[in-house]
Each structure stands twice: as structure tokens, then as C-alpha cells.
Amino acid sequence: MSIELKDVHKAFGDTKVLKGFSLRVEKGETVSVIGGSGEGKSTLLKHANGLLKPDAGEVWVDDQRIDVLEGSELYDARRKVGYVFQFAALFDSMTIAENVAMGLRRIEGMSEAEITDRVRSSLARVDLEGVDEQYPSELSGGMKKRAGLARAIALEPAYLLYDEPTTGLDPVTLSMVDELILRMRDSLGVTSVVITHDMDSAYRISDRIAMLHDGRVRQFGPPDEIRDSDDPVVRGFVEGRPDLIEEAS
Amino acid sequence: MDSLLSPVRWVGRTTTSFVSAIGRGALLSVDAGRSLRKVDMWGPLLIPEMVSIGVASIPLALFIAAFTGVVLAIQASYTFVGTVPLYFVGALVGKTIILELGPVLTGLALSGRVGASNASEIATMRVTEQIDALESLAYDPVAYLVVPRVLAGTLMFPIVISFAIATGIAAGWLTSIALLDLATPQFVRGLRLFFDPYDVQFALFKSATFGATVTSVGAFFGYTCRGGARGVGRATTRAVVVSSMIILVLDAFWAATLL
């Protein structure tokens, strides 16, 4: 049970974003991917559940190569991989309960009572009770992120992909989201890939951290190894020193 | 040299972007055709879309049609006085509204109401990653967002436009008896003089193609939108402009081929 991207290349027009990116995330692990803005972190995450297809390379989820799947096979594969979007991407014309129920309605044979129960339990897991009938616009930023997480875990995925889950949050809400990510790993046993800019958060939640630079993994290892890295690009990023990155480039 | 080349570059860029848009439109049409099989996904949304696209458009369509009927009757009478018998007012009002003004004016007005609304809603979903979210929840976004709207537009435009035609003719009749000293039998005589049931079939067919155009163009520009709030605005404007242009081209094409 793992997610693996093998030598993935992706370009948008003339801009090459991923240039041979490889990463393997083992079962039960939480891996953070760090890197500068515009380096392609969200792009690589979208490859991991088939929202984007690589120009070259392979994407494996469990023992299934998902970048070649189409139609219902791809949709079945996606159910195993929950995606928490950067700005939650909640459907703004639906209530929170309807948002969380959306994925469940695609499961054949699930009754309305079962859907209601699953919606309640998913919202409870992220400490978001009593907002079922509210619309996304009525929630704070942190609550929206939690609602987005509830929508992703409602399908009981084996994997969770978080796209900058803590961006734009105050320090208290930020630690609350970190706590939720750890809780999802411990209580649901999910394997997680987290895209983040926030080094404190990355050190707190990660089993391993991968640094993305120039379309490839620059360094991949436990938090301590990243913190004490000798690589000037990695050090420059984690210490917030652009001069080190410029010198190395 | 650079300034000499810039018009050439502009032509090149415009041609490339036009051909690319045609290609993306063709791909989206193929996807939509494939998604027709997924009735479980678009089926539950068809009736709500028919209400939103069709029923909710009726007041606007009737408003336009009523004033068109009034103006047509007055202008026909103004033109005919002293040269053509006045009962021809009924003929002109009926023929013009059924064949041309009912479908085209309503189609153009609905390209603003329906096309803009479709484009902006889908474009907003695109730039806020809601379409990606649909995909991540195992929904086919084309089956969910595009197919029900295009089907609803194709089915509902003929219904809305038939109401508009009836209202336009009724307004022309009321104007004739109230303002033009024309009696009802005279107006009806003119109305029946050149009436051909084929005209109604032609109008309804034309309306269905307008409905398909307005909804699919709106969905296309929304679905392929990029670039935040400005992108949403651009998609909405293009949807209205392009669908209006296609309506006028189709109008001429159907007139040349079917009449």
C-alpha cells in the first residue's frame, strides 16, 4: 500500500514544471512536500489522484497505475484518495452537509440514513458539529478547511492529499489543523501527503519531508535530516535565506 | 522591423488561439456526447435546469415579445396606410414574429440571461477548484455541469419561444384593435392569409438550435476559463458575444437551407 510517482514530467505550454519528479510514500506515513511558490507542488499532488496526467512517467496507487486509467476505473481509484483543497473548494451553492454528502451519493447502495450518519460522523471527526445547514460563505477560513477535510474523509479513503492546509490561518487554527492531520493518521490509519510552506507545521506532522526544487526532489528524509541539511538550497528554504538558494543556483 | 512584424504576430496569435478554441470545443463536445450515457449523473439535474433555464426565462421572453408585437403592428399600419389593405397588419405581425423576431430576439435576450449565467457559474467553479473537487469525488464534471444544461436549453428554448410568439401576436392584435381601428376579424384574416404550419415547425426547430448554442457556448467558456475574477468576467462576456453571433449566423443558415 503506497503512493508512488516515478520520473514524472509535466509542462504547461513552454513551462516545464516537473522534470523527473519521483517520490514514494509508504503505508501509514505522513510525508510533507516543501518548496517555493510556483515550484509545482500542487501540480504533483494533482497527479497523485489523477486530476492531472503526466506528460511522461508513472503514477501508482497501491498496485494500480492510475495515470493510464479512464472513466469509471479512474473514478473508483479516486475514491481511495481523498483530496483536501487549498481553499477548501466547497460547493458554494450547497450546505455543508450537502457538500460532505456529495461523494457518498456516488456510492451504490448507500441509503439516505447511512449518508446522513456518515456526514454527521465525518463532521464530528473534524470538530465541526452544528454547521450542517450553513453555507460555506457563512463559515470562517479554518472552518471551511475542516469542512473540506470532512468531505474528503467521508469516503473513508486510504490516502489523504492536503494542498497547503494551513495557508492563511492564524497560529491557533493552524495548530488545530495540524492536530487534525495527525488525528486522521492515528484514528483512520490514512497515508498522507501534505503540501506546505510552513516549516513548523512540516516538522510537527511529518514522518518524512521532501524538498521540491527545479521540478525534482532535492532531498527526502526525516524532519531532523531536513532541518540539519548541508544542501544550501534546502537550508536556504527552511531557514528562509534566499541568498543561499541564489548562491547554489 | 519589430513594429512591422507586430500585425503579423497578432494575426498569428489570434489564428492560433481561434484554432485552439475550436479544438477544445470539439473535445468538450466529444466528452459531452460520451457523458450522455451517465444518466444517473445528469438525470436528477435535468428538471431543475429546465426550470432555471426555461421557466425562469419566460417573463423576460414575454416582455420582449409583447413590445415587439406592439411596435410591429404600429409600424405595419404606418407603412400600409393608403397603399395596402390594413388587414395585412395581421399577416405581417404573424409571419414576422413566427419566422424571425420571436426566435431571434428571444434567443439573443436569453444568450444574455442563460449564457452569461452558465458561463459565470461554471467559470467560478473552475477558478475556485470546485470542478477539481467534483472530479476528486468521482463525478464526471461534464456529465454533471454541461450535459443537463445543454439538454435543458435544447428542450426549453422552443417552449419559451412558442410562448413568446403567442404573446407577440396577441400584443399585435390588441394594438390593432385598440390603436389602429382594425377589427378582430380583419386582423385574423390577415394572420391566416399567409399562415403555414411549417413556419411553426421551422421556428421551433430553430429555437432548439439556439438553445443548444447558448447553453453549450456558455458551458464551454465557463469550463475552459482560466485566470481568477478577470477570467470569469472574460468567459462571461465571450459566452454572450459568441453565442449571439452564432445565433445570427444560424438564423441566416436555417433561412437559406430550410425555407
Side-chain angles (χ1 to χ4, degrees):
Chain A
M1 296 273 281
S2 63
I3 285 189
E4 186 169 13
L5 286 87
K6 289 183 185 173
D7 195 27
V8 169
H9 291 253
K10 183 71 180 177
F12 297 102
D14 295 331
T15 312
K16 289 180 182 170
V17 180
L18 300 178
K19 305 170 190 171
F21 181 89
S22 296
L23 182 75
R24 183 181 168 94
V25 181
E26 301 294 344
K27 186 188 175 195
E29 228 185 356
T30 298
V31 167
S32 292
V33 180
I34 58 172
S37 297
E39 288 276 6
K41 299 188 298 297
S42 297
T43 300
L44 78 88
L45 204 62
K46 285 182 178 173
H47 281 84
N49 78 338
L51 285 174
L52 288 176
K53 288 189 187 295
D55 298 333
E58 298 173 5
V59 181
W60 291 79
V61 173
D62 295 340
D63 296 323
Q64 193 174 28
R65 188 175 164 189
I66 65 158
D67 58 288
V68 292
L69 299 180
E70 295 284 348
S72 57
E73 283 183 327
L74 179 59
Y75 295 133
D76 288 342
R78 276 190 186 137
R79 287 206 186 97
K80 291 191 285 192
V81 187
Y83 199 110
V84 183
F85 289 85
Q86 186 174 356
F87 299 106
L90 296 169
F91 306 116
D92 45 23
S93 55
M94 295 181 192
T95 64
I96 297 303
E98 286 166 345
N99 263 280
V100 179
M102 271 294 274
L104 303 173
R105 299 201 184 285
R106 298 293 306 141
I107 300 174
E108 268 180 46
M110 199 161 185
S111 71
E112 206 52 43
E114 287 171 315
I115 290 175
T116 308
D117 280 351
R118 185 78 70 84
V119 168
R120 287 217 181 104
S121 63
S122 302
L123 287 170
R125 274 186 201 280
V126 298
D127 304 325
L128 203 60
E129 286 141 316
V131 299
D132 311 34
E133 295 313 312
Q134 290 190 35
Y135 284 87
S137 59
E138 296 166 335
L139 302 187
S140 68
M143 289 166 93
K144 281 183 198 167
K145 298 235 179 191
R146 281 186 279 157
L149 177 55
R151 185 174 65 183
I153 61 169
L155 288 166
E156 299 182 341
Y159 303 93
L160 272 175
L161 309 176
Y162 299 87
D163 189 358
E164 302 196 22
T166 54
T167 299
L169 298 180
D170 65 82
V172 175
T173 314
L174 187 149
S175 357
M176 201 186 289
V177 171
D178 281 352
E179 171 59 34
L180 277 174
I181 292 172
L182 293 172
R183 199 194 297 172
M184 294 305 122
R185 182 192 64 186
D186 298 338
S187 63
L188 303 176
V190 291
T191 305
S192 304
V193 182
V194 184
I195 300 294
T196 186
H197 283 117
D198 188 316
M199 288 314 301
D200 290 335
S201 172
Y203 294 141
R204 206 159 32 225
I205 62 175
S206 313
D207 297 307
R208 288 192 291 167
I209 297 173
M211 164 93 189
L212 171 65
H213 181 71
D214 195 25
R216 297 181 190 88
V217 172
R218 181 81 181 197
Q219 188 172 355
F220 186 29
D224 288 344
E225 200 177 296
I226 298 292
R227 188 188 283 120
D228 303 328
S229 175
D230 294 330
D231 184 328
V233 172
V234 178
R235 270 187 47 221
F237 182 81
V238 300
E239 291 173 14
R241 292 177 57 192
D243 53 310
L244 285 178
I245 300 175
E246 272 170 34
E247 271 174 37
S249 306
Chain B
M1 188 65 184
D2 223 32
S3 61
L4 280 176
L5 281 176
S6 65
V8 179
R9 283 204 195 100
W10 182 84
V11 170
R13 266 199 308 270
T14 309
T15 310
T16 312
S17 101
F18 178 72
V19 172
S20 149
I22 298 279
R24 279 180 285 139
L27 286 175
L28 187 61
S29 306
V30 171
D31 274 354
R34 281 198 199 125
S35 301
L36 274 173
R37 286 174 303 173
K38 298 172 184 169
V39 182
D40 60 321
M41 221 173 278
W42 58 259
L45 299 167
L46 184 59
I47 299 290
E49 289 297 345
M50 286 168 80
V51 171
S52 153
I53 288 171
V55 178
S57 296
I58 287 177
L60 174 66
L62 299 194
F63 181 82
I64 292 168
F67 282 91
T68 306
V70 169
V71 172
L72 263 182
I74 293 171
Q75 288 184 346
S77 147
Y78 169 76
T79 309
F80 294 161
V81 163
T83 52
V84 179
L86 267 191
Y87 64 82
F88 272 94
V89 169
L92 187 127
V93 167
K95 206 76 177 174
T96 314
I97 285 192
I98 293 171
L99 283 178
E100 182 63 16
L101 294 183
V104 173
L105 281 186
T106 311
L108 290 174
L110 296 196
S111 78
R113 202 194 89 80
V114 174
S117 143
N118 273 351
S120 60
E121 192 179 331
I122 297 175
T124 304
M125 290 184 75
R126 169 61 77 197
V127 300
T128 55
E129 294 188 309
Q130 290 178 54
I131 292 182
D132 284 343
L134 272 178
E135 286 197 72
S136 75
L137 296 170
Y139 281 78
D140 172 352
V142 175
Y144 190 79
L145 295 172
V146 178
V147 172
R149 287 163 206 254
V150 175
L151 287 178
T154 311
L155 293 171
M156 290 308 287
F157 266 49
I159 295 172
V160 174
I161 287 174
S162 58
F163 281 121
I165 288 171
T167 304
I169 293 172
W173 164 65
L174 286 173
T175 307
S176 301
I177 57 174
L179 301 177
L180 306 177
D181 294 332
L182 203 65
T184 298
Q186 282 176 291
F187 183 85
V188 173
R189 183 182 167 198
L191 193 61
R192 295 176 69 171
L193 195 60
F194 295 110
F195 178 77
D196 182 346
Y198 176 75
D199 293 352
V200 176
Q201 289 174 34
F202 174 76
L204 295 183
F205 170 75
K206 192 158 81 166
S207 307
T209 65
F210 293 169
T213 299
V214 166
T215 45
S216 54
V217 169
F220 168 73
F221 281 108
Y223 201 78
T224 54
C225 168
R226 291 165 68 185
R230 183 170 286 185
V232 174
R234 211 167 30 228
T236 308
T237 309
R238 284 182 181 167
V240 175
V241 171
V242 172
S243 59
S244 301
M245 287 164 69
I246 296 178
I247 282 176
L248 296 174
V249 172
L250 271 180
D251 188 40
F253 177 75
W254 293 135
T257 54
L258 297 179
L259 289 181

